Each structure stands twice: as structure tokens, then as C-alpha cells.
Amino acid sequence: MNAALHRRAKELFLDACDLPPEERAGFLAQRCGEDAELRSAVERLLAHDGAPSVVAERVVHEQLASLLDEEGARALPAEIGRYRVLGLLGEGGFGTVYEAEQLEPVRRVVALKVLKPGMDSRQVLARFAAERQTLALMSHPCIATVLDAGITADGRPFFAMERVLGVPLGRYCDEQQLDLASRLQLFLRICGAVLHAHQKGIVHRDLKPSNLLVATVDGSPLPKVIDFGIAKALQPLEPDADITRERGLFLGTPEYVSPEQAAGELDIDTRSDIYSLGAVLYELLAGTTPLERETTRQLGLPALLLRIQSEVPPRPSLRVAEESERALAIARARRTDPQSLARALRGDLDWIALKALAKERAERYQTVSALAEDLERYRRGEPVLARAPSFAYRSARFARRNRAALLAAAAMLVLLLGGIVGTSLGLVRALRSQGAAEEAQRRAETFSEILLRALASGDPLEGGSVDRRVSEVMQQVVAELDAGALRQHPATEAEVQMRVARTLLGNDHPAEGLPLAERALALYTASGPERASDTARARSLVAIHLDRLGRTSEAEPLFRAVLDARRAQQDGDHPELAYALRGLGVVLQHRGRLDEAEAHYREALAMERRLHPEDHAEIASALNNLGSLLQSKGRSAEAEASFREVLEMRRRLRPEGDPLTARALANLAQSLLAQRRTAEAEPLAQEALEMFRRTLPTDHADLAIGWTSVAFAQQASGRAAEAEAALREALALYRRNAAGDHHQVAGALANLADLLLGSRRDEDAEALLGEALAMLERLFPQGHPLAVRCGANRAVALLRTSRPEEALEAAQRAAELGRAILEPTHGLRVQTEKILAQVQSAR
Amino acid sequence: MSPLTPEDITRALERAAEGHGSAASELLPVVYEELRRLARSHMRRAAPEHTLQATALVHEAYLKLVRSAPEGWQGRAHFFAVAATAMRQVLANHAREAQAAKRGGSERLRVTLSGEIADERAGRDFDALSLHEALAKLAELDPQQYRVVELRTFTGLSVEEVAEVLSISTATVKREWRAARAWLAAELGEPGGDGAEPPAPRTEA
């Protein structure tokens, strides 16, 4: 608007404003004519004539009040109580902090925190006095003690405390450009201080960076937690939750206050501090508070409370992943770049921070030491206890132990690569139930808690180790369950049964786990429709056991039932449904119904991609399923593409490498070998072996996957002797881990026999296959696809060693078994029939 | 800032009276320091529940300054003209600082003990900034109207006093004031009025 228009509008407004409203339109039409701009300007003024609030005065008065408020607070009194004021240290939300000198009984310099006017000073002092004895118990180098409290001449409460020369934690870290490791170290020292206070029964209630001051002492940072005891003293004596909520009297800082404290709940305990520590950790890592400061500051109280109580913050790694100036600055302050920072945070650190920030305090770390220990585990590169809200992490860790039944390079027969998925499914499933199991755990009596933990400790998939003593404990538990120890608690018994079954499955003992899983299924089925989800869980577990036992025809209907149940439980995409789709896909793949399996895998994969908009362990697993299937179909180039994506995703998820990434390398190598791209395959296989060695204990069975993969590459490039040595390493590893009959041992025997057949060492091969078949018959009395393969190959070996009658017998048995347990189109069955025909014609 | 001596004040007022271009900025520290001094003394006397009467304080400051005016000074008209501008600058600076402090993410407790909520505070700073922006705009569009607003708003002068300071009729002041209020309300997105003139809140000096 220009000045002339403004003035014209003003004149017309003044002429029109005293006219009766009904005459105004005519007046304006006459005076403004065609000038629509002028008319609208006048109408705008008329509309605001006599506006109810006189905004300018109001704003000016408010501003003056706030200005004077600040000035008044800044006024430097000469003395406060028996302290001589030396200077102003700072101003905070509470009030003003002065540097002051105490003259008696000892002469020392202290910090005096004088609170803003507006509260009942006597009550504050009374509450502080009540806390004083407790506060005096604290003695920790990282805690600044509150020494004294009093009332100023003008009636305001003040606290005298140890003067700390330091800057707020976040500022210190950014100014010093501390990297993640140094930040965590500093944070752990703060945890130590808070733990000390908690052990004395003191909750801070207002932990935030400005109460965590850091100074450089002797060249290293020394953190100090200040203000212990103050927040509690300021808390109303008899807080009324409703009034608190209504009037916004809650004490704390919106970005760091726990939901229960924000809601004005009465029983604030140490876990409230754990939440605040979580928020501090989050900001240290990602440079942003969990609930963004910019947005919390614009919310009204009800909206703010709602956010604090319900909004789950994004994972810290997502905060730094964006490409912006801000992300760049945050990363730079941590001596890295946004991509590397996001990678470093993704996973363990994400989950540790989010676990500490759980809305429900029962879901947080229960003690500061638990939080600190998890961070220490992270620093040592050990698995952390925190887990993602989804089951991604656990599944990744479970799948780590999957037995990759790698495709035999020998062109003769197809080994069941899909076997890997069966295992992984069991593990993924196990994981998922973890959440529910934990829920149950909380409710269960202490003994069952201890029991479950003891049982899980025997599961190498959960960071435990195969340990005879644990196995014995487990057998004892099973015996106790059989004796009816938990008969009164069917749900608990079912969970324990499933837990034991999963541990057995994790150790590749499906035959022993099956009865337990079946018992759990029976228990849940008996407890009616409200247990439908648990029933589906147990049914999946039974199906996985059956699949692993080669009883795929029994597994299939079970998985179909699970799938139907999941579809009935919830519309649309959900993780349980995606899981069930994959489970059925695995069974179908094992049954040789590859097209159906592919359809299920693709549906599951698409769903996982929708459920997880970015990299996710579940997407990688689903892709791996699809890759293995495409490999079985001989579509190696497509399999290669899938495995490459799996590999890349896992490398992003775990840049430091892990057994799952190693497995992806091995699978990719296999798909390249199938395309006769030996030169490309071998380095990948070597890298897989190297990564397995780096990330697993020396004797871990999964090292065998690495050896097998390398062996196949060497075999393909004609280095049979090296390949044989590698396969014998794999066999030895499986034998050491299995201590007896095991399908992995049988698989390793079969792989070695294939190699020997290729070198025309037919007699040696025949002996190995004989051993494998005997083992498989003991393991899988109802037959197993691997037995079909071994039988067919043994027939070839017998034929070559001029034993045609035995060859025919072996081929016929293999073909019969194939017809019994495999679909007519199954590659293995087709190949076996061809071998039978050859053996027959050779006679 | 060291306390201003009566000589400082006198000198500033003289320069303002002489019509120096920089008079407003000369007077600014005078007004500012006087306000600070008054605020501090009030805070010391104040009981915790005491609410500061901002308007009363401002007038106390003006009275003090006016009393310090040297003999032979041209009168309060000039003083108020300059003081209003100084006052506006003080508050504009204050609003900007508050806003900047917020952007800087300073660790202030936004949910305060007195039950005052952060967003109210934020809203106020926003209002203040908008007001100062609107006033700057008005100063360009219509200097006379702007002067009326400035004097009325930042010094709390009555219509008659404004008329005297600006050497215009009281009727003109009333008209300018009415139009300015409508304009400001529209600029600041205030809800519309009912056409009636509400009593202007002001304190009797």
C-alpha cells in the first residue's frame, strides 16, 4: 500500500465510520467508484473500527512488564542472607544465580540461586529442610552439593550451592567438538553421578543440559550435576494432579521432563530421571531434543502435555540423516559427516536412547546402572539389551545363527538354499514373541522371570552360549514342567515351553523342541479365542519345527492357519501378517512349489517395504527369501540383484559388519558362481569368511558357511584340493558344534561328497554319502529332502564304482522318498527321477 | 552501565531540545537507565506477590526525567516527542532480543513456576515484533498518524497532551487515533470491532 492510498482510505474511513451501517455501502460505492483497492482498504478499516482489544497498549504494557521483570531480577543486591554478593552468574527459568561469598562459618565462594517471586517461600524452605539430611548423604565428584537455603530480604527463597565453573553439557560438547565416543564417556560419568544420588534415595527431577555443567579439569572434561534437591523442594506439598494439570504448575523443562512428572503424578521415582537422561543422551547424539524445542515452545499446555505423553520421538539416527545445513553442523560438531553419524547411531544407540525415553516407565531401563551397562555393552561392541520397538534388531541377531544351506555348486542337484529361511523365520518369530513374553514376565512371579532368563541364557542366538550346564538346567526345567510345576499358570507354562523350544531350535535341535512347541500350542488353544494371537504364535513355532524336520506337508496347513488368523485379526499391512506370508512361502519353497512361494515372498516383501519406509532388517530378510527362491528357480541374475540389495542394506544397517552381512556376501557369491562368474564370486566368499571370523567366536558353527562358500568358489575355479580342505573345515566345525547327529553335519558330508564326485573319488564320496544317509534317517524318520539328494548322488557313486545293483536300489529309494515328500515339479524330485532313469538304462 | 548523573540527563535533554537528529538515541539510555533503576528499587521493595505496575513505573520515570529538565528547556512537548521514540526503541530492542534468545535456544524454563506458560511468552514476543514492524510501516505511510500513535502508546499522553506536543487540534488527534487503531488492529490480525469506541486505557499522570 502506498502513502496516498493509505491517506485516502483514512479520510474515507473517518467520513464513513460515523454513518449508520446501512448507509455505508452506498457512501463507499459513490466515493470509491471503480477503485476496488481503495474500497477494500476502507472496508478493512471499518471492520476493525473499535476493535475490542487495544493491541498496541496491551503489547506495550506487557513488554514493559517483562522488561522491568528482567531488569528487576538482574538487580544486584549487596547481600543475600549471610552471603556477600560478588556478581551475576546467570539467569535461568528458576530465577537468578549470583556468585557470592560466604563469610561464616567458613569463608568460601558459592553460587546463590535466588528464585523468582511467586511462590510460598516458607513452604519451599520447609520442603528443602526435610530433604536436607538426605542431600547431605551425597558425596560424588560429579555432584555439586546444595549447601544451604534461606529467604532473601524481599522474601524470595534462595539456595546456596557449590559454585561450578563450567558450561552446559551440550554447549561444552559442541564447543569442544567431542566425537560420539567422548560424548558417551562424558554421559556415562553423569550416569555415575545420578546413580550415586539414586542410591541415596534422591531423585533429581530436573535433569537437563543446563543442570549438567562441564569444565575442563587437567585436560579432561569433568561434568557436575547441579541442583539436586531443588526441584523437589519447589514441588507443591500436596500436589493435586488436576489442579497441576489445569494451571500448568508442573515443574520441569518440557523437552526433558518425564511424562509422569509432566502429568503431575505424585509418585515420581528414579525412572523419571532415567527419562530425562534419555532426553539428554538423545540430544548429545543427534543434536536435537526428542521433542523438538522449536515446536514444544509453540504449544499450549494441554497440547504440550499430550505431546510429552504420547509422541514417540523418531530414532536419533533419522534426525541426522536429512540433508540440511543443520544436519551438517550437528555432524561437524561430532567430527563426522551426516551419513556416518546416522550410520553410527542407527541400531544400538537408537534403541538405547528410545528405551530410556519410553513413555511407560516400566518399559524404560529400570535403573541408571542398567542404562549405563547397555551403553558400556555398546562401547565394547557387545549386543545391547535395548531393542527396537519392532523386532528388527532381535531378528537380525537371531538370524545371525541361521544355517545357510548353501547351494551346492555341483550341477547335479539343488541343495536347499531356502533352508536358511526356515531357520531365520524361527528366529524372527521367537523375537517377536519377545515383546509379549516380556509383558508376561512383568506380571509373572519372580521365579518364572528368573527361569525365563536362565533359559534364554542357553541360547547362542541371544548372546548366550551352548553350555552343558545350561542344557542341564533346561532339561530339568522341562522335567519340572512335565511334572506340572506350572499347571496353575497355563500362559506362563506355554511361554516357558516356547522359550525352551526356541532355544533348542536355535541350537538346531528341532526334534527336541517340537514336543514343547506343540504343548505350548495346546495350552494356548485351550485358553480360548482371546488368546488367538498367542495361539498363532505357538502354531508358527510348531510349523517351523516341522519344516526344519523336513515334515513340510504338515507344516504347510499350520502356516496357512496362522496366515488366516493374522488376516482375521487385523486389516491391512502389519508385521505379523508379513511374517506369516514369509513363513508359508518358506514351506512352499521347501515343498518345491516355487511359483506359489514366490508370490508369497513378493507379497511379504512389498508389505515389509510399506511397513518400513527405509532400510530395515525385515526388508533384508524378506529380500533374502526371495533371492534364495530365485536361485532355486535358476534365475541367478535376478537372485544376484536381490542378494546385492540385501548386502547393501545390511552394510548400511551394520557398517561395522556382522554375521548377517557375511551371510549376504556368501549368498551373493553363490548366485555369481551359478552364473559362472567365478572371479567375481571368490573375493566375496573370502570376505564373507573373514567377516564371520571377525564377528563370531572361533568355534561358531556359522563359520562353516564362510568356509563352504569359499570352497564352492575354489571348486568352481578348479582348485579341488583347496576346496576339499575348506569343506573339511566346515564339516569339522559342524561336528564340533553338534556333538552327534545333526542335519548340518549331514549337509556338510553331502557337500564334501559332491566335490569328491567331481574329482572322480567315487568310493570316498560313496562312504560319506552312506554316513550322511544313515544320519538323516535317524534324524528324520519320515524323510527329508536332503536324504533324496544324498540317495541320488550315492546311486551315481555306486554306478561309477561298478555296483549297478546297489546303485539301482539307492536310486529307487531316493526316487520313492522324493515322490513321497516332494511335489512332482520339485527340482530335486525331477533330478532324482533322471538319475533313476540313467541308472536303469546303465544296466 | 554506570548510573547516569543528573548532568548526563540534562545534557541529553538539552540536545534533544536543540533538535539534534540523534536526539532520540541520546535520550534512549536516559530513559532506559531510569526504567532499570526504578525496576530494581521496586523489586527490592516488592513482596513476592507484588505485581509490577508497568504503567505507573513508566510515568514515574517520566516525571523524574521531566523534573530533571533544565531551566529554560522548551517544555515537555519536545521532551515527550523524543522520549516516546526512545521508549519505542527500547521496547523494539527488547522484543528483538527476546526473540533472538528464543531462536538461540537458550535454556530458559518456559513453563515457569508462576504458572505462566511458555507459549504465552512466545506469543507476546511475536506480538511485540509485529507491532514494531507495523509501526515502522505506519511511520512511512503517514508520519503524523504515526506520531499520534507513538505518543499515545509509548508515553500514555492524553489526547490533549498529544495535540499540544504535535501542535494539532484535539479533533485531529482523535480522528488520527481512531483510524490508527483500526489500521493497527487490521495489520496485527486482531478480531474486528463493533464500531464502538472503547475507553482508552491510560493512567492519569
Side-chain angles (χ1 to χ4, degrees):
Chain A
M1 187 190 281
N2 60 43
L5 178 63
H6 175 86
R7 255 175 254 155
R8 284 270 296 146
K10 179 175 75 178
E11 295 303 328
L12 285 179
F13 160 78
L14 290 167
D15 288 345
C17 66
D18 288 327
L19 293 174
E22 61 274 13
E23 290 176 26
R24 288 182 185 173
F27 172 81
L28 288 180
Q30 184 202 340
R31 300 285 294 272
C32 297
E34 298 298 306
D35 193 341
E37 197 184 1
L38 176 64
R39 180 166 180 163
S40 109
V42 179
E43 280 171 345
R44 183 161 166 262
L45 291 174
L46 284 169
H48 288 88
D49 188 26
S53 71
V54 186
V55 64
E57 280 101 332
R58 180 175 61 77
V59 169
V60 166
H61 285 194
E62 281 171 356
Q63 263 203 286
L64 269 174
S66 115
L67 179 72
L68 296 177
D69 215 20
E70 286 187 10
E71 285 304 325
R74 219 174 269 153
L76 209 60
E79 279 178 4
I80 296 174
R82 51 204 172 89
Y83 301 90
R84 195 163 65 83
V85 175
L86 301 174
L88 185 73
L89 282 178
E91 285 175 90
F94 283 101
T96 312
V97 187
Y98 301 101
E99 185 175 45
E101 194 177 18
Q102 184 180 355
L103 302 172
E104 34 133 13
V106 284
R107 213 183 159 92
R108 60 180 167 187
V109 175
V110 299
L112 280 189
K113 183 168 254 187
V114 179
L115 302 183
K116 277 185 175 169
M119 53 178 41
D120 189 326
S121 306
R122 281 162 305 147
Q123 277 195 16
V124 169
L125 280 193
R127 285 191 292 270
F128 182 75
E131 277 277 289
R132 205 165 175 161
Q133 289 304 318
T134 324
L135 290 172
L137 295 175
M138 289 193 302
S139 168
H140 191 281
C142 297
I143 293 179
T145 332
V146 178
L147 306 163
D148 190 16
I151 299 186
T152 61
D154 60 9
R156 291 189 282 160
F158 72 85
F159 296 93
M161 63 193 91
E162 187 188 325
R163 186 189 49 170
V164 177
L165 299 171
V167 297
L169 177 66
R171 207 176 96 200
Y172 182 89
C173 288
D174 288 349
E175 280 174 3
Q176 303 285 321
Q177 295 207 319
L178 296 189
D179 60 15
L180 275 190
S182 312
R183 281 166 193 250
L184 287 178
Q185 201 176 351
L186 198 50
F187 182 76
L188 281 166
R189 294 196 68 182
I190 291 164
C191 286
V194 176
L195 176 63
H196 174 82
H198 285 181
Q199 284 166 344
K200 305 290 178 193
I202 300 162
V203 184
H204 191 290
R205 291 168 182 246
D206 195 19
L207 288 172
K208 55 179 172 179
S210 58
N211 280 338
L212 304 167
L213 301 181
V214 190
T216 306
V217 176
D218 296 335
S220 63
L222 177 70
K224 285 262 191 187
V225 186
I226 63 168
D227 281 9
F228 262 111
I230 292 185
K232 189 170 184 190
L234 300 184
Q235 209 80 337
L237 203 55
E238 288 169 16
D240 179 317
D242 286 340
I243 289 179
T244 304
R245 210 170 284 133
E246 228 165 76
R247 293 171 53 195
L249 275 169
F250 81 77
L251 181 73
T253 313
E255 291 82 15
Y256 305 95
V257 72
S258 71
E260 65 269 22
Q261 203 175 322
E265 279 176 29
L266 298 179
D267 64 327
I268 297 305
D269 60 27
T270 50
R271 291 173 293 182
S272 184
D273 279 356
I274 288 169
Y275 180 95
S276 303
L277 281 173
V280 168
L281 173 63
Y282 190 108
E283 192 177 10
L284 275 186
L285 299 175
T288 312
T289 47
L291 303 179
E292 258 175 290
R293 187 170 281 119
E294 287 70 19
T295 41
T296 54
R297 297 287 148 108
Q298 282 158 24
L299 293 173
L301 184 62
L304 182 60
L305 284 179
L306 188 69
R307 255 196 102 183
I308 291 172
Q309 278 157 8
S310 62
E311 189 178 303
V312 177
R315 283 179 276 146
S317 60
L318 296 181
R319 282 285 171 81
V320 298
E322 61 184 68
E323 283 185 26
S324 67
E325 280 299 314
R326 188 153 171 244
L328 204 63
I330 288 168
R332 209 175 286 138
R334 287 153 185 75
R335 295 178 190 251
T336 183
D337 57 90
Q339 290 75 25
S340 309
L341 181 58
R343 265 200 307 277
L345 299 185
R346 196 177 295 143
D348 291 347
L349 288 175
D350 277 345
W351 300 326
I352 290 173
L354 291 184
K355 185 176 170 72
L357 284 165
K359 301 294 179 195
E360 291 293 328
R361 56 188 173 186
E363 286 168 17
R364 288 174 210 150
Y365 292 102
Q366 296 297 292
T367 60
V368 178
S369 39
L371 165 61
E373 279 161 20
D374 230 10
L375 281 171
E376 290 287 6
R377 271 189 281 276
Y378 165 79
R379 296 211 307 168
R380 291 194 300 262
E382 294 169 11
V384 303
L385 295 186
R387 58 196 64 168
S390 75
F391 44 92
Y393 175 59
R394 300 297 278 178
S395 69
R397 288 202 38 241
F398 268 87
R400 189 181 291 184
R401 265 265 307 192
N402 293 347
R403 305 286 195 247
L406 291 164
L407 259 179
M412 196 184 294
L413 292 170
V414 179
L415 186 124
L416 300 171
L417 185 84
I420 178 180
V421 181
T423 315
S424 119
L425 267 174
L427 303 172
V428 169
R429 181 63 238 138
L431 241 214
R432 230 138 171 358
S433 60
Q434 207 67 27
E438 270 177 10
E439 188 70 36
Q441 255 175 302
R442 277 197 293 280
R443 291 191 301 262
E445 292 94 332
T446 318
F447 84 92
S448 56
E449 262 186 69
I450 296 162
L451 194 66
L452 285 169
R453 226 171 286 135
L455 293 172
S457 72
D459 187 347
L461 309 181
E462 293 208 355
S465 58
V466 187
D467 180 312
R468 195 173 296 267
R469 283 177 304 120
V470 175
S471 313
E472 280 163 7
V473 170
M474 216 153 56
Q475 279 168 10
Q476 191 186 329
V477 168
V478 172
E480 277 178 33
L481 292 182
D482 288 343
L486 279 171
R487 196 140 293 162
Q488 302 305 313
H489 309 280
T492 308
E493 183 183 347
E495 281 307 319
V496 175
Q497 300 270 21
M498 285 176 70
R499 177 62 264 174
V500 179
R502 287 196 303 264
T503 300
L504 288 166
L505 190 74
N507 284 303
D508 268 323
H509 296 300
E512 291 160 63
L514 178 61
L516 306 181
E518 285 174 336
R519 169 86 183 131
L521 175 57
L523 285 166
Y524 274 135
T525 309
S527 47
E530 68 270 26
R531 285 284 185 181
S533 184
D534 290 322
T535 308
R537 224 151 42 79
R539 186 166 281 131
S540 293
L541 191 61
V542 171
I544 293 158
H545 278 87
L546 289 170
D547 179 69
R548 288 279 293 281
L549 287 166
R551 291 159 64 180
T552 54
S553 60
E554 290 162 78
E556 188 191 333
L558 289 181
F559 259 127
R560 286 201 186 278
V562 171
L563 186 59
D564 290 344
R566 294 305 188 197
R567 283 209 164 107
Q569 275 162 25
Q570 198 184 326
D571 283 332
D573 297 348
H574 57 107
E576 297 282 359
L577 179 56
Y579 166 74
L581 283 166
R582 283 169 55 199
L584 183 55
V586 169
V587 174
L588 291 169
Q589 183 179 355
H590 288 177
R591 306 207 70 198
R593 279 149 57 192
L594 302 185
D595 289 342
E596 277 174 81
E598 186 179 350
H600 284 87
Y601 284 158
R602 287 199 186 276
E603 196 183 340
L605 176 60
M607 195 175 289
E608 295 288 6
R609 286 200 202 268
R610 288 193 298 271
L611 287 167
H612 312 287
E614 45 159 295
D615 290 352
H616 197 283
E618 292 294 320
I619 299 175
S621 296
L623 259 172
N624 184 65
N625 286 3
L626 182 62
S628 78
L629 180 111
L630 294 167
Q631 188 69 67
S632 307
K633 284 184 151 185
R635 283 149 65 184
S636 300
E638 287 167 78
E640 183 199 339
S642 292
F643 288 141
R644 277 198 195 280
E645 197 183 339
V646 173
L647 177 62
E648 281 159 17
M649 194 175 289
R650 285 183 177 156
R651 279 203 205 269
R652 285 193 298 271
L653 289 167
R654 305 284 286 190
E656 69 279 16
D658 67 353
L660 266 184
T661 311
R663 188 183 298 278
L665 281 163
N667 282 342
L668 178 57
Q670 286 321 111
S671 69
L672 291 170
L673 284 178
Q675 298 173 74
R676 302 187 188 284
R677 285 154 65 186
T678 315
E680 285 170 77
E682 192 169 347
L684 292 169
Q686 292 286 3
E687 193 189 342
L689 174 59
E690 189 266 328
M691 193 178 286
F692 276 124
R693 278 176 149 166
R694 189 158 50 80
T695 55
L696 287 173
T698 327
D699 255 344
H700 198 285
D702 280 359
L703 286 174
I705 299 169
W707 282 115
T708 309
S709 181
V710 167
F712 288 165
Q714 290 164 338
Q715 186 179 359
S717 56
R719 283 137 61 201
E722 284 171 66
E724 187 184 341
L727 284 178
R728 288 196 186 277
E729 284 279 355
L731 178 60
L733 274 165
Y734 282 135
R735 279 203 204 273
R736 270 205 295 282
N737 277 278
D741 290 347
H742 198 286
H743 74 92
Q744 295 286 16
V745 176
L749 286 167
N751 285 337
L752 186 55
D754 283 350
L755 176 75
L756 297 179
L757 277 175
S759 311
R760 302 309 296 244
R761 285 159 62 190
D762 303 318
E763 280 182 39
D764 293 346
E766 195 277 326
L768 293 173
L769 289 168
E771 187 191 343
L773 278 166
M775 195 178 283
L776 288 167
E777 267 166 36
R778 286 190 299 271
L779 285 167
F780 309 107
Q782 301 176 53
H784 190 283
L786 190 55
V788 180
R789 173 193 165 190
C790 288
N793 279 357
R794 182 160 170 267
V796 173
L798 289 166
L799 192 65
R800 287 186 186 166
T801 49
S802 311
R803 290 186 278 175
E805 296 304 324
E806 287 169 73
L808 181 59
E809 196 198 336
Q812 277 171 339
R813 282 183 60 185
E816 272 166 33
L817 183 56
R819 287 169 209 151
I821 65 170
L822 299 174
E823 300 280 320
T825 52
H826 198 297
L828 191 52
R829 182 166 159 181
V830 174
Q831 292 278 12
T832 304
E833 295 290 350
K834 280 186 190 161
I835 286 170
L836 175 61
Q838 280 176 22
V839 173
Q840 281 167 337
S841 65
R843 284 171 77 233
Chain B
M1 191 185 294
S2 58
L4 287 170
T5 62
E7 290 73 33
D8 293 332
I9 298 170
T10 305
R11 194 163 52 246
L13 291 173
E14 278 171 352
R15 286 177 61 80
E18 286 158 15
H20 280 279
S22 62
S25 57
E26 291 263 338
L27 205 49
L28 189 144
V30 178
V31 175
Y32 193 78
E33 187 53 32
E34 184 56 22
L35 280 169
R36 282 177 53 138
R37 195 193 61 75
L38 286 165
R40 284 196 293 268
S41 72
H42 273 253
M43 291 303 288
R44 285 207 194 131
R45 292 199 304 267
E49 303 78 24
H50 181 83
T51 336
L52 284 169
Q53 293 299 319
T55 317
L57 260 185
V58 177
H59 279 267
E60 198 178 327
Y62 284 137
L63 287 177
K64 164 89 175 12
L65 290 173
V66 169
R67 274 197 298 273
S68 327
E71 289 292 322
W73 192 51
Q74 290 298 309
R76 36 192 256 121
H78 272 100
F79 167 76
F80 278 114
V82 176
T85 306
M87 193 67 207
R88 183 184 55 73
Q89 285 181 12
V90 168
L91 294 184
N93 289 343
H94 176 62
R96 273 192 291 273
E97 280 163 19
Q99 191 72 12
K102 212 143 281 155
R103 268 198 302 272
S106 71
E107 277 288 334
R108 282 163 173 282
L109 194 75
R110 298 300 166 184
V111 181
T112 68
L113 298 170
S114 57
E116 182 182 272
I117 272 283
D119 57 319
E120 287 177 10
R121 178 71 201 257
R124 226 158 57 188
D125 295 333
F126 175 74
D127 278 357
L129 277 184
S130 314
L131 173 66
H132 289 294
E133 279 165 19
L135 287 176
K137 189 170 164 187
L138 186 61
E140 290 207 348
L141 288 173
D142 193 336
Q144 175 171 294
Q145 194 178 22
Y146 166 76
R147 296 296 292 162
V148 170
V149 173
E150 194 179 58
L151 285 164
R152 290 281 278 151
T153 310
F154 292 99
T155 70
L157 291 189
S158 66
V159 169
E160 291 72 22
E161 286 165 338
V162 173
E164 186 194 330
V165 170
L166 295 182
S167 303
I168 52 179
S169 73
T170 54
T172 306
V173 173
K174 280 182 184 164
R175 285 162 53 85
E176 292 284 23
W177 180 231
R178 184 174 183 176
R181 281 182 49 230
W183 185 84
L184 273 176
E187 279 296 301
L188 298 172
E190 288 284 297
D194 56 7
E197 168 102 9
R202 63 176 299 267
T203 317
E204 299 307 319

